[in-house]
Amino acid sequence: MKFKWKRFVGLVLAGGLLAGVGAPMVGITTATPVQAAEKTKTVTDMTGTKVKIPTKVTRVADLWHANNQVVLLLGGQKKLVATTPMIKQEGWFKTVYPGITKVTSPFSGQDIQIEALVKTKPDVVISSNADQIKQAKQANLPAINAMFQDFAGMKKSITLTADVLGGGAPKVAKKYIKYLDGNIAYVKKQLKGVKSTPSVLHITSPADLTKVDGTKTIVDEWIKMAGGKNAITTSGNMITVNAEDIVKANPDVIIVGQTTTANARKILKADATLSQLKAVKNNKVYGNPQGTFPWDRYSAEEALQILWAAQKLHPDQFKGLDMVKKTKSFYKTYYNYDLTTKQAKQILAGEMPK
């Protein structure tokens, strides 16, 4: 008699179903909807957009210069698989984490190269640029906007980045925010009763002495926290004003980003118009400290910026403040890096490592 294979197979399958409906076949595993959900989580970025990312993130493409420093602060630097050209060249970042030089920088000039980004196989992309976010999402990459404009936003952004990184990062974020709030409270206490409010001009960089930071910015916020007032009344980051406007404002103090104190004083004294400012004549010109990222904008080292600026504006109220000691302690606590006294002084003077 001819053996009917189709009927035999049908009987076996039917028997299996009767023995246990839905029982998995031997040697085959399938993820249930619950298990699949457990492999992802949803975070809300700084624009309010909900983004689904892996529960365990091990590969991060960070396309925002400043946020790379936040990742470093939170101990997630080894997860970086893509960064920016600026960060790869940032002297103190390389000093603290030499491995950054080997991380891919998927850019051509200022433009993101999406093919190069995809090749890094990131679990998540972090940026502050809406176009970059859009391009990443079009390439089916989870993308998060971490941009902020003030201290409240900075704390929220750091918490967001910590949530993305997972592991011990959230604990570090809470510790840092407590430290930041503590420094703000300390400065406020020391300035209690002080009536003088020196006017401060913050020049973005020595490349253009008429490009300054106005109101409604994080720069304006730390100037106020440090007991000063912005000499510029126009709002906005890195705005261009006339030299005549600066002369009219005639600030008590001038702080120049991305340069040393020595160079800031040199270039201002060499300018026929700006050399007449009282801040220049009184040597109240300072290069803004630069660490793993410039202290003056978007950096977690803003926690030190507040202290430094307050001491520059009100030296009598902060005679006991040792900024060299504070800087060394910060680097040890958050980067596990032992700065020498010389290195700390270089950072405070706006100098890059030798």
Side-chain angles (χ1 to χ4, degrees), residues 120-132:
T120 66
K121 299 179 180 179
D123 294 322
V124 63
V125 176
I126 301 175
S127 179
S128 61
N129 183 290
D131 287 337
Q132 291 177 355

Side-chain angles (χ1 to χ4, degrees), residues 59-86:
R59 301 178 67 81
V60 177
D62 204 328
L63 309 182
W64 184 20
H65 315 299
N67 193 261
N68 279 262
Q69 188 268 336
V70 172
V71 170
L72 177 67
L73 175 95
L74 299 172
Q77 61 271 23
K78 291 184 179 179
K79 294 184 178 184
L80 290 171
V81 295
T83 186
T84 71
M86 176 184 173

